[in-house]
Amino acid sequence: AAALRRTLLLRDALGLPRPAGAPGRVASVSGLRHGRYVGEVPAVRYLAEVLAEAAGSGPAYDTPHPLGRVDLPVPNYLRFGALGGEALRASRPWTPEYERARARDLLGALGDTPWGDGSGRWRRLWFQAKATQDPVGQIWRTPNGAMVILSFQNHPHKDSVAIEYSPDASFRDFVFPGWTNKYEPRPQGWGGADRVARFLRLLDERGPAPYDVRSVRRLADATGLRLHTAASAAYGFPYTLGREDESSRLPAEVAALYRDPETGELAKHESWQLDDALREVLMPDEPEDLWLDGLAVDRAAEWWDREGRHQDWPRAA
């Protein structure tokens, strides 16, 4: 039954008809184009079905309890909660066209799944695992709803990534016996099929969004972050291997944000995790605002005071 559901969901995502006698398809009415990430769509939808069933399977307790194990297609969990960042990447004037096309495909694919619906009912957990056996595929009933273990790395660092679902979008931390949090939980972030569709339409009609380095300086002033750290969140850190083409396209005033004003030397990148989290709240809720008002600096500063400054962000290598 599980294999059949995966097959049907994949056919749905590809726009293929279901075989005679199969149950009705889960249709997409968003009109979003899945592009090269079409394979992510049925995987996430199937996982969402499994967790929704698990969350309604029985009472919740103060600590998680196992429900069993399933054979799941594993989506790329590193892309979870990153649609706002992808929208900002797609909107930059200096983003190479192949990167813009990739970001558009990812927005179209994940924006058409529960992970990208903007409902706040999902979060990613990253545990320091003490398991002695591979836990991938384990389904747990949690105090909030249900979660599934998506990965297990036994060497050199024992860790596991899980996705948790809460039907009412309410999350509270809980103790997972034998496990500890390696990173802070990652919320679902920006999204929604209609919001994504409007953003892509605006990008087609208006082209890349205007940029204003004053907003980056305002973000740095409001948060106390160093200027190049604020720039890295807002515009990415384009000075890494493989991104030479992007860095060569930067306007001079943007490139200057990443350099020591006295020596001209390139500042050291701080934290990819901080970049991702801060970038997600810099993307305005309403896509039109990105062209009209620019980055959501005030909301990002509020998030930093409420959550960001209290977290221990891993340093970049």
Side-chain angles (χ1 to χ4, degrees), residues 32 35-37 52 72 74 85 100 111 129 131 139 157 198 203-204 208 249 260 271 288 304:
L32 292 173
R36 74 198 74 183
Y37 297 105
L72 285 174
V74 179
R100 200 184 321 277
I139 305 290
H157 310 292
R198 281 190 286 133
L203 191 59
D204 286 336
R249 296 165 176 260
D260 185 300
S271 172
E288 295 84 354
W304 177 255

Side-chain angles (χ1 to χ4, degrees), residues 35 39 55 69 112 124 156 172-173 184 235 274 286 288 291:
R69 185 193 294 262
D112 205 20
R124 187 183 72 193
R172 62 183 178 90
D173 293 334
E184 292 290 328
Y235 297 145
L274 173 57
E286 301 305 323
E288 295 84 354
W291 276 264

Side-chain angles (χ1 to χ4, degrees), residues 84-253:
E86 290 298 329
L88 290 183
R89 177 187 293 276
S91 73
R92 297 171 191 152
W94 52 84
T95 296
E97 287 307 313
Y98 70 90
E99 281 289 340
R100 200 184 321 277
R102 186 202 62 78
R104 291 179 63 111
D105 282 355
L106 187 57
L107 285 161
L110 292 187
D112 205 20
T113 70
W115 277 13
D117 66 9
S119 66
R121 294 179 295 179
W122 305 85
R123 68 173 180 170
R124 187 183 72 193
L125 305 171
W126 203 307
F127 296 109
Q128 193 71 49
K130 297 183 180 179
T132 57
Q133 295 181 337
D134 186 351
V136 172
Q138 288 181 357
I139 305 290
W140 293 76
R141 182 74 165 93
T142 70
N144 305 309
M147 74 175 179
V148 59
I149 308 296
L150 295 182
S151 74
F152 177 62
Q153 181 180 226
N154 193 36
H155 181 78
H157 310 292
K158 281 192 174 183
D159 64 11
S160 281
V161 175
I163 293 292
E164 186 183 16
Y165 166 72
S166 169
D168 61 0
S170 176
F171 290 101
R172 62 183 178 90
D173 293 334
F174 55 81
V175 175
F176 194 15
W179 307 59
T180 56
N181 288 333
K182 183 174 182 178
Y183 302 126
E184 292 290 328
R186 179 165 192 146
Q188 184 180 20
W190 187 87
D194 175 69
R195 189 173 285 136
V196 170
R198 281 190 286 133
F199 168 80
L200 294 175
R201 185 167 59 251
L202 285 163
L203 191 59
D204 286 336
E205 294 173 352
R206 304 185 186 184
Y211 69 92
D212 186 352
V213 297
R214 291 174 298 180
S215 65
V216 178
R217 297 184 183 279
R218 189 158 65 88
L219 177 64
D221 291 341
T223 59
L225 293 169
R226 286 182 283 187
L227 183 60
H228 78 274
T229 302
S232 188
Y235 297 145
F237 194 82
Y239 295 95
T240 54
L241 186 64
R243 300 185 68 180
E244 294 85 356
D245 183 49
E246 187 171 352
S247 62
S248 68
R249 296 165 176 260
L250 291 179
E253 62 268 32

